[in-house]
Amino acid sequence: MGLRGVALLVVALLVASAEAGSRQLAAGFKLAWQMDASGLDFYVECASGQYCAFGIGSGMLNSDTIVCHLSGATGVCTDGSVGGSKIAPTADPQNDVAVVATEVGVGKWSVWGRRALNTGDANDKVIVGGGQAAIWATGPGPLSLHSTKSKVNINWAEAGSFPSLPTPTPAVTPPPVTPPVIPPPPVTPPVIPPPPVIPPPPVTPPVIPSPPVTPPVIPPPPVTPPVIPPPPVTPPTNGGVGTGTFAFAADFALSWAPAGGGSQRAFTMTCAAGRYCAVGIGSGMRRSDVMVCHAATGAPTCRDGSVGGVRAAPTFNEPQNVVVTSGGSSGPNAWTVSFTRPLTTPDIAFDQVLATTGQAMIWATGAVSPSGAISQHSSTSRGSVGIDWTGAGAPAPPSQGGSGASSSRQFTAGFGVAWRVDGTAMEITVSCTSGSWCSLGLGGGMVNSDVVMCWFSAARGTVACDDAHVGGQKVTPSNNENQDVTVVSSTADANGRWSAVYRRALQTGDPNDKNFDLGGPQSVIWGTGPLVGEAWGEHSAKGSAQIDWGADGDAPQAAASTPVDDGGLTEVHSGFRLGVRQGQAVFAARPGSVSLGGARRGEVLAIADVLRFTFSCDKGQYCAVGLNDDGKMTPADAFICWEDNAVVQCLDWFCTQHSACPADNSQDVQVESYSSGASSWSVTFVRAISTGDAQDTVIPSGVVDMIYASGPDSGPSSPSQLHDEFGTAAYDPVTGEITVNSGGSGQAWHIIVAVVLLFCLGLIAGALILAKRSLGYLFQTSWLGAVLSSIFVVASFLVLGLGDYSFYKGRPADIATLFGGPAQLCMALALVLKARLFSPVLFLMKLPQERALWWHRWIGRLGWAFATLHALCMLYAYDNDAGKSIDQLFEGTLPTGGTTDGVRKVKPLSGFFAWLLYTALVLLGIPMLRRRFYEAFLYSHILISIATLICVIVHLPFGWRSYFIFGVPILILIVDNIARLLQRSKECVVESFETCGSITKIIIKPSSKAPEWGLGSYFFVTIPEIAFNEAHPFSVTSHHSSGVAVFYVKNSGSGTWTEKLSRLDRPAQGMKARMEGPYGRLCFDWRAHDYLVLIAGGVGITPMLSIADYLDPTQTATIAWSVRDPEFIRLIAGHVENLLSRFKYLRLVMFYTGATPLSTVDVDHPGITVVAGRPDYPALFAKSTSDRTAVAICGPPGLVEQASRDAKQCLNDAPVHIETFEF
């Protein structure tokens, strides 16, 4: 037989009992395999002139490959790998693939080879039983760009036939004249003296030296592989009772053994250096119990954690129930750690029970930082498997955790499905009407979905199922290149129905396939329609649904009808009686549930602490109770019960809006008993103190605050509408009593306060109106205006906030929220007051635009104060409240109330930036800075205001109030700016300008569509020749009937716009201007007064001349003008004389304080009196003999202050109007 024949025979005997399988990968490429305890034998059948390659990996990149080709008459297989870029495989320095035999046929060639499961080579991946992602390719030999390639999922341990090794060819002596077919290697002589037909390998000695006990072709795995060293306490891999090992990935393995007399389990974990490895109990990443280990900080360490209802990093539990027993080893390539965990821990909220047989498990691995922070795993470095704790670690259908559980769903009368999780595969039974096709798919819609199409094929006489997918358009599904669905059995009956059972891996690795999610409800689509021959016709019915693959059923009710004792209940309102008591219960997961007190589906939990609720409700009503210490309906963890056909059903709800609430992702209430009577129904259900669900409130050990509601029952699909009755209650576990508050009582305090404040505001306004005062008078009196604005802001906010602020209990977080609301309202009012041409507020309040600017600044500062208090209270709350920290304020989002995971959330970081920007607005608005750098202030103010508003909008949990509070001011500002732009777009003609000293007189002829102006009016004037878009306010001194607007402009100093105007050295002809306005009005009705005192200083004479130009001929008026510039007197003399000649009772008293003597020509008019020195206002006011006297003042701040003070003292209640231009 020879050495080669002996080797082939030994290998055949060793693998005779191994499991085997095969796959036709392409028309010219067949792969077969069989796996034993130490290695994998493979068979490659390839087309002539082609190479064939297969490998381990989820894609071509970063894969472990075996490339085979034919060299002469000898098969060659190279152990290689592909790195992070798309290139040809590179041969590994350590070749771990051995060719056993080669056979050349007609149009094809075949090769038999072997590779160890775990070679210890860093370039090789570990071959594991069960489904494993693999790749394949073929192309022109020996190795070129592939012509065909794909990905496939292979179960190396599946049963099947393996091609027999070829019969060994005996050595023969060639004719003496014929040289050897293949000469011996040049260095070593031929192993067999006569030239053989099949020569030995060209470099190495014979593969099988002599018949050994263990064939040397496949050397035993090394004792310490570089990547995954064998764990120091790993039990034998063939397993004893309760021992085993399992390799989740090439760089992650786990071994286990009994410990603690059978009450614990000892684990040994081996992981690649620089990475963490985690294993957990659960059929999905969500709601799982995990153990996370790493060696980033030195010695390997492990922690006990859990994952809640959302896919996030694990939260580490306290207390820790994982104990590290040995630090193991930490090398350059891998680290090892040993630890123990009890099968059952006292931590029922987060830890799950370690089963003694099969169990669904999850695993993950990823990078870890030097500080021990773990990163998110990639899609290829996590998974779910079934582990048989009694065997050698091969995947087994677990008996708990949802695996093995079956459920069903009837989509139509002719289409239903049932399913069962079986280890790493899903087994689905389809029942369908004859002559129809039926399909079930994974996806939220028909497009981009993964579907399985099944039909009864008359041609085949059996049911066929195709693995297909639908792309980005609504078209007929396309079959996948890799068919990952296997039909197990099918039947057709005489009643016109057929059924089939098919299997598919939970994770196939095919990009056209979606993964089954066992961690909660998953979106599916379904459809059915007629067959057209063997083709699928248009669907006759279709739809979408949510299926929880691990649940035992879809119905939300599983309790038997047992009478409930209705005694001892508290009537919360008519038709709803409530009972609450503490206790314990044994939780068996209900149908459709995901988590109950830490238990998984189908798993009975030890006794847990619960609250036991009893409802007694009238017929036709639903009743609900929620856990929320804020007294709010949203967000709240609620339980709703209703009666349907004499069966009482209860759901766990999570309320996020003021309407019917959606069911919680995890149903954590368990009905114990119920009864149905003629006029009422009763139910008793339990809820664990802590469920581990992020949407559930942890029930406190002290007083339990609750909300309750009831309303009409609208049927099982929509059991509740808006409540008829609602309120708050509290359960005291010490006394067992329930204290009930009437519905809406939590809102009474601020309703009363709001009504009282608004009533006071109305009384003040009414008293002023009765006193014949215009409301505009209030808006120039700082202290009174401040008081009234505070009342208005607080009252308005309370009215707007009625629905959201009933939870106030005096806690720092509550106070912070109450301060945040007025801050919003102040910002909104400040925005409204900035509008000047189109402003409903200014129009309704008869508020001059220059007065509105004072209010704009004052209310803006008030808003900043409220915002600062809001921020300080929130910082204090999160620095002092238990379970909170300041760090939370700068991470992600926070719920608007309580700790429940509501949908309306605030973003604290954007709020912090809004406060910083708001502070900058206030500081830059300091009068000294604002006046000195007005243009820079103006543009920076606009930009910072926009940025502040954006940050506030991002910060807020927007509801209708927020949209209203900010939407209306923004709309008003947009319309106002459009109106101003349209008005300023109309060009006016500058008729003349004249400069005398520091004063320039400019006359402008408005456009034909310019609005009329009145007494005390002013315009914003722009002269593009000086500055294209710079506008300045100036009082108009002429009457609108004159057809021109006359302005007197004072030079404000070097570099200013007014200085550039005074230096214009050109005729006015052809000069253009733009006017925006008019603005300004008196705060009193000037027609209602017999005597007017008009006090002016310097250029402040201009609005007084405008007022005088509109006097009634019978009115008496005195202009008291303090002036020091004789050039100004000379410039304005003609205008003054014109007024004095027209109005008989108008007088001008000129208080001249200049150093240059006045010319008598400039003041030569009987109506002008010149007084040297400063004015004596009390003497001036003493000349008033009428009780209907009014005063108007315009001038420097010192003059305004003195004149207004003297007017109040001498004229008592006479109205005083003060012109202001503090922009």
Side-chain angles (χ1 to χ4, degrees), residues 43-104:
Y43 166 80
V44 173
E45 181 182 291
C46 194
S48 297
Q50 298 281 311
Y51 76 88
C52 288
F54 68 99
I56 302 170
S58 57
M60 295 296 172
L61 302 183
N62 300 312
S63 59
D64 174 19
T65 62
I66 298 175
V67 182
C68 299
H69 70 278
L70 191 64
S71 176
T74 303
V76 178
C77 291
T78 303
D79 183 11
S81 58
V82 180
S85 58
K86 293 185 177 180
I87 57 174
T90 303
D92 294 346
Q94 177 181 320
N95 184 22
D96 299 300
V97 174
V99 174
V100 177
T102 304
E103 185 174 67
V104 180

Side-chain angles (χ1 to χ4, degrees), residues 4-35:
R4 180 173 177 275
V6 172
L8 295 177
L9 180 60
V10 171
V11 171
L13 292 174
L14 283 174
V15 302
S17 60
E19 299 296 331
S22 63
R23 185 75 60 91
Q24 187 71 41
L25 300 175
F29 185 6
K30 178 180 179 181
L31 176 67
W33 63 87
Q34 60 183 3
M35 186 174 72

Side-chain angles (χ1 to χ4, degrees), residues 630 746 749 805-811 814-815 818:
D630 289 339
W749 72 272
Y805 294 92
S806 59
F807 63 86
Y808 176 78
K809 294 185 178 181
R811 299 168 300 188
D814 299 335
I815 298 173
L818 288 178

Side-chain angles (χ1 to χ4, degrees), residues 371-397:
S371 63
I374 63 176
S375 63
Q376 185 175 0
H377 50 255
S378 67
S379 59
T380 59
S381 58
R382 66 177 175 88
S384 58
V385 298
I387 290 185
D388 184 1
W389 298 115
T390 65

Side-chain angles (χ1 to χ4, degrees), residues 585-788:
V586 176
F587 270 110
R590 291 175 47 237
S593 72
V594 173
S595 172
L596 280 175
R600 301 300 299 178
R601 305 178 189 85
E603 183 174 78
V604 177
L605 182 69
I607 294 177
D609 293 329
V610 301
L611 274 190
R612 184 169 278 104
F613 295 86
T614 300
F615 290 176
S616 177
C617 297
D618 285 351
K619 284 280 191 180
Q621 295 281 314
Y622 76 86
C623 289
V625 164
L627 303 176
N628 191 330
D629 60 355
D630 289 339
K632 294 197 304 179
M633 294 294 173
T634 60
D637 175 20
F639 323 120
I640 180 171
C641 300
W642 73 98
E643 183 187 30
D644 182 21
N645 294 325
V647 176
V648 179
Q649 303 189 49
C650 294
L651 280 179
D652 184 8
W653 268 13
F654 178 54
C655 294
T656 59
Q657 53 190 357
H658 289 283
S659 62
C661 304
D664 197 345
N665 293 334
S666 169
Q667 290 297 301
D668 298 312
V669 298
Q670 181 168 291
V671 173
E672 292 187 331
S673 57
Y674 65 86
S675 65
S676 178
S679 60
S680 65
W681 55 265
S682 301
V683 65
T684 295
F685 63 88
V686 294
R687 218 299 298 269
I689 298 297
S690 176
T691 66
D693 185 351
Q695 293 181 322
D696 287 343
T697 300
V698 177
I699 299 175
S701 57
V703 175
V704 180
D705 293 312
M706 300 178 292
I707 57 172
Y708 64 83
S710 69
D713 178 2
S714 300
S717 61
S718 178
S720 66
Q721 300 297 326
L722 194 60
H723 46 255
D724 290 338
E725 301 285 347
F726 72 98
T728 61
Y731 165 67
D732 188 342
V734 177
T735 62
E737 295 181 353
I738 297 177
T739 304
V740 181
N741 298 318
S742 59
S745 61
Q747 302 174 353
W749 72 272
H750 67 258
I751 295 176
I752 295 173
V753 172
V755 170
V756 170
L757 290 175
L758 290 175
F759 179 73
C760 294
L761 187 65
L763 284 180
I764 296 172
L768 291 169
I769 292 173
L770 291 175
K772 298 183 180 180
R773 307 284 189 185
S774 169
L775 282 178
Y777 172 69
L778 300 177
F779 300 108
Q780 66 180 23
T781 308
S782 299
W783 68 268
L784 186 57
V787 172
L788 292 177

